[in-house]
C-alpha cells in the first residue's frame, strides 16, 4: 500500500484531496497539519453526505473536493 501503487479508488481520491488541501494551504500561507486535514475531510464528508445523500465513498470524495475548492477559506479555518 502507498508506494505509488495504490489501486483502491477511495484511497486514490482521498490522497488527491489531501494533496489539493496542502497545496491550497501552502499558497495561502496557512500551516496545515495532517491531523487538521483529517478533521477537515471528515467535516466535508459529513456535509456532502447530508446535502447530497450519497453512499459511494468515491463520489462523496469527488463532491468533497468540489466543495473544498469552492470555499477554501471556510475549511482552512478549522
Amino acid at each position: 500500500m502507498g508506494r505509488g501503487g495504490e489501486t483502491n479508488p477511495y484511497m486514490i481520491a482521498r490522497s488527491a484531496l489531501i494533496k489539493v488541501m496542502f497545496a491550497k494551504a501552502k499558497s495561502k500561507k496557512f500551516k496545515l497539519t495532517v491531523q487538521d486535514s483529517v478533521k477537515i475531510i471528515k467535516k466535508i464528508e459529513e456535509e456532502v453526505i447530508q446535502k447530497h445523500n450519497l453512499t459511494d465513498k468515491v463520489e462523496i470524495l469527488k463532491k468533497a473536493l468540489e466543495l473544498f475548492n469552492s470555499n477554501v477559506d471556510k475549511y482552512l479555518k478549522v
Side-chain angles (χ1 to χ4, degrees):
M1 244 168 42
R3 302 218 176 166
E6 187 61 67
T7 56
N8 179 339
Y10 173 75
M11 292 308 290
I12 292 169
R14 189 174 174 103
S15 173
L17 177 55
I18 290 170
K19 286 177 184 171
V20 168
M21 289 173 75
F22 276 95
K24 296 274 186 185
K26 187 176 183 181
S27 72
K28 294 193 174 285
K29 306 280 191 268
F30 183 85
K31 185 76 174 146
L32 185 66
T33 65
V34 174
Q35 290 85 357
D36 287 342
S37 71
V38 170
K39 287 179 192 171
I40 293 169
I41 289 173
K42 285 184 179 175
K43 181 179 178 182
I44 297 173
E45 283 179 336
E46 288 172 9
E47 284 182 36
V48 169
I49 291 168
Q50 288 174 359
K51 205 181 270 185
H52 299 284
N53 198 22
L54 295 172
T55 54
D56 180 51
K57 288 180 171 184
V58 177
E59 287 301 316
I60 290 169
L61 283 178
K62 284 180 184 175
K63 287 283 186 196
L65 180 59
E66 289 173 18
L67 198 58
F68 178 78
N69 277 330
S70 69
N71 207 344
V72 174
D73 293 329
K74 172 186 170 186
Y75 293 108
L76 288 182
K77 292 178 183 163
V78 175

